[in-house]
Amino acid sequence: MRRRITLSIAACLAAGGSLLAGPAIAADKSGSVESAPSVASGSDRVKCTSMSNGQLCISLNTSPQRIEVFYTKKGGSTIKAKLGFRSSSTTYGPTKTISKGERANSTWNMSYPCGRKYVGLIKVEGQQTFETPAATC
């Protein structure tokens, strides 16, 4: 588990050397979508979005194949949130309590087709659902 987190962090940091500006997307409870400033990594397998109080990333890992979504909380009050991803359908992990300075992650050990796009999600209780740009392989 610790190695998996370390590899995901390393992948995100490695991608951080070539950050590109891209749109963050937030959908409210009614389903309407709005854009917000963000940062997306240059790697196709790792995509990140900067948010006002943290950073949300999705990583499509190999050996073994797995999808990992992680959120690093850099500011603000403690939140309760579910991390997930969307491709042909939407999947969420369990609700997590995340405080300032903490990193939360959810991992799905599974084979994933490379012809699809995968979007990382964080669904914060009482707030909008935020998304990463789409990752591909």
Side-chain angles (χ1 to χ4, degrees), residues 46-65:
V46 178
K47 295 293 182 178
C48 296
T49 297
S50 291
M51 299 163 49
S52 60
N53 287 321
Q55 184 178 42
L56 176 66
C57 296
I58 185 168
S59 178
L60 304 178
N61 298 298
T62 59
S63 298
Q65 275 194 323

Side-chain angles (χ1 to χ4, degrees), residues 52-126:
S52 60
N53 287 321
Q55 184 178 42
L56 176 66
C57 296
I58 185 168
S59 178
L60 304 178
N61 298 298
T62 59
S63 298
Q65 275 194 323
R66 66 192 179 279
I67 297 173
E68 187 168 12
V69 176
F70 48 97
Y71 176 70
T72 304
K73 184 144 180 64
K74 298 177 182 176
S77 58
T78 299
I79 61 169
K80 288 188 178 186
K82 291 181 180 186
L83 299 173
F85 72 94
R86 182 179 66 241
S87 183
S88 57
S89 62
T90 302
T91 302
Y92 283 101
T95 300
K96 299 175 182 280
T97 301
I98 312 166
S99 300
K100 180 181 174 183
E102 290 184 342
R103 177 192 277 309
N105 73 308
S106 289
T107 303
W108 294 268
N109 294 309
M110 57 185 273
S111 295
Y112 52 84
C114 280
R116 293 186 186 162
K117 294 181 180 181
Y118 299 85
V119 175
L121 306 169
I122 184 168
K123 186 175 188 177
V124 182
E125 285 185 5

Side-chain angles (χ1 to χ4, degrees), residues 23-37:
I25 301 171
D28 62 20
K29 292 178 184 176
S30 68
S32 63
V33 175
E34 60 185 58
S35 293

